[in-house]
């Protein structure tokens, strides 16, 4: 593929995220929106309100006629696997929300078919490119705050941002709100800190509001506390504070800078805000994978580990006990019963 050639991306599935990305692809100078695949009968009219693109009812037909370089899947978790296999066998790279499958066997089969056809599954990890998170990673790796000891993360979302008009089917179903609130934050912290040693979680639902609390202990010794609210009456926000043995770095939407660093008592400085949106950085990395055959920042295996931590958190929230990751094993039906 020539470096200046447009990368063709097709989108499968209809939700707020897929509409956002489809609009982005349609306007990007180096991307061609290669088509939309949606199996619903009424999708063509809905899509026409957002972008001008051919809507297909059949994925193999879209792949054969449009020959995209990348397929962006925006489907419910339990519908990922068949279409991932179809795209991989067609030699198409894939962008996909986490988790890609429901078991370690799914992961091994996906990895094998990707190697066979020389394609990549690119986990959705836009959070890594948020200005505050990219600056946090830079400061921590530069040793500015020393060795991280404790991290506090707070995330709030409206119910519409998380579920639209739909709520999870059962008050006992804890995994969906925990995953919605924390999967990107857990993936980022694991990218920065390494393997999770144990997890403890609590989850409460009251009418259309849900509250979740996670405590993660990492093998490096860092403790990460995450607090999340679904049903918060304002747009999605997140803030964090990381304390090390030589200082503190924090970020909040109330600040004009991406992060604030404090060292030695009152000594502090602000890191200037970034001028690139998270989606720009994420898509640039995706284009590099398609054009130059680079590796994803987050591997398929690392992304699966994050999904397993989410599963362990849901299990902890259901029985009130901490879960040690080395001894945690999935059981049949975990996705339905968590």
């Amino acid at each position: 593929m020539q470096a200046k050639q447009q990368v063709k991306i097709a989108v499968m599935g209809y939700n707020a995220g897929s509409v956002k990305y489809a609009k982005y692809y349609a306007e990007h100078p180096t991307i061609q929106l290669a088509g939309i695949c949606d199996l619903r009968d009424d999708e063509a009219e809905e899509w026409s309100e957002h972008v001008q693109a051919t809507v297909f009812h059949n994925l193999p037909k879209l792949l054969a006629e449009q020959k995209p370089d990348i397929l962006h899947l925006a489907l419910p978790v339990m519908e990922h696997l068949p279409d991932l296999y179809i795209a991989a066998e067609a030699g198409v790279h894939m962008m996909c929300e986490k988790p890609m499958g429901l078991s370690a066997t799914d992961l091994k089969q996906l990895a094998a078919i990707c190697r066979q056809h020389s394609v990549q599954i690119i986990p959705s990890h836009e959070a890594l490119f948020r200005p505050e998170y990219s600056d946090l990673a830079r400061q921590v790796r530069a040793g500015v705050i020393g060795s991280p000891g404790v991290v506090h993360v707070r995330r709030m979302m409206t119910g519409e941002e998380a579920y639209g008009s739909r709520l999870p089917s059962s008050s006992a179903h804890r995994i969906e709100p925990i995953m919605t609130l924390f999967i990107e934050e857990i993936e980022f912290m694991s990218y920065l800190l390494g393997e999770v040693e144990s997890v403890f979680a609590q989850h409460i639902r009251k009418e259309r509001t849900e509250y979740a609390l996670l405590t993660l202990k990492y093998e490096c010794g860092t403790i990460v506390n995450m607090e999340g609210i679904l049903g918060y009456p304002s747009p999605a926000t997140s803030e964090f504070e990381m304390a090390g043995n030589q200082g503190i770095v924090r970020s909040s939407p109330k600040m004009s800078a991406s992060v604030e660093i404090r060292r030695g008592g009152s000594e502090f400085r602000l890191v200037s805000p970034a001028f690139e949106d998270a989606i720009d950085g994420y898509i640039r990395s995706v284009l590099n994978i398609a054009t130059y055959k680079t590796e994803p920042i987050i591997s398929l295996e690392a992304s699966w580990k994050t999904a397993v931590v989410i599963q362990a958190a849901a299990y902890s929230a259901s029985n009130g006990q901490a879960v040690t990751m080395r001894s945690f094993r999935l059981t049949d039906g975990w996705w339905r019963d968590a």
Side-chain angles (χ1 to χ4, degrees), residues 94-164:
M94 294 145 281
M95 299 166 63
C96 187
E97 294 291 337
K98 305 169 286 287
M100 289 76 181
L102 302 180
S103 71
T105 300
D106 293 342
L107 175 72
K108 292 177 182 177
Q109 292 174 345
L110 282 172
I113 197 170
C114 287
R115 287 193 298 269
Q116 179 182 349
H117 296 279
S118 300
V119 295
Q120 297 275 11
I121 295 181
I122 308 165
S124 175
H125 50 258
E126 188 178 314
L128 268 66
F129 296 93
R130 293 179 195 163
E132 65 273 23
Y133 275 5
S134 59
D135 283 337
L136 170 64
R138 237 184 340 264
Q139 302 302 325
V140 170
R141 287 177 171 162
V144 173
I145 64 168
S147 178
V150 178
V151 184
H152 296 284
V153 178
R154 192 164 191 250
R155 181 155 174 76
M156 294 162 285
M157 300 175 68
T158 66
E160 288 72 20
E161 288 170 317
Y163 304 129

Side-chain angles (χ1 to χ4, degrees), residues 139-246:
Q139 302 302 325
V140 170
R141 287 177 171 162
V144 173
I145 64 168
S147 178
V150 178
V151 184
H152 296 284
V153 178
R154 192 164 191 250
R155 181 155 174 76
M156 294 162 285
M157 300 175 68
T158 66
E160 288 72 20
E161 288 170 317
Y163 304 129
S165 60
R166 174 189 59 83
L167 282 174
S169 58
S170 168
S171 61
H173 196 334
R174 295 172 171 85
I175 196 162
E176 192 164 3
I178 290 174
M179 184 173 72
T180 300
L181 283 165
F182 298 128
I183 193 164
E184 289 197 335
E185 276 66 24
I186 293 174
E187 184 174 70
F188 173 78
M189 289 299 165
S190 298
Y191 167 75
L192 191 61
L193 300 171
E195 300 282 343
V196 175
E197 180 179 309
S198 63
V199 56
F200 175 76
Q202 293 179 307
H203 169 258
I204 299 171
R205 176 188 293 168
K206 185 174 182 181
E207 298 178 350
R208 296 185 64 87
T209 301
E210 306 200 42
Y211 176 83
L213 181 67
L214 269 64
T215 298
L216 307 175
K217 181 180 180 182
Y218 281 80
E219 291 184 355
C220 65
T222 304
I223 303 294
V224 178
N225 296 306
M226 297 186 175
E227 177 188 13
I229 301 173
L230 279 178
Y232 194 74
S234 67
T237 61
S238 61
E239 54 189 59
F240 65 80
E241 179 177 276
M242 177 178 284
N245 58 2
Q246 295 180 28

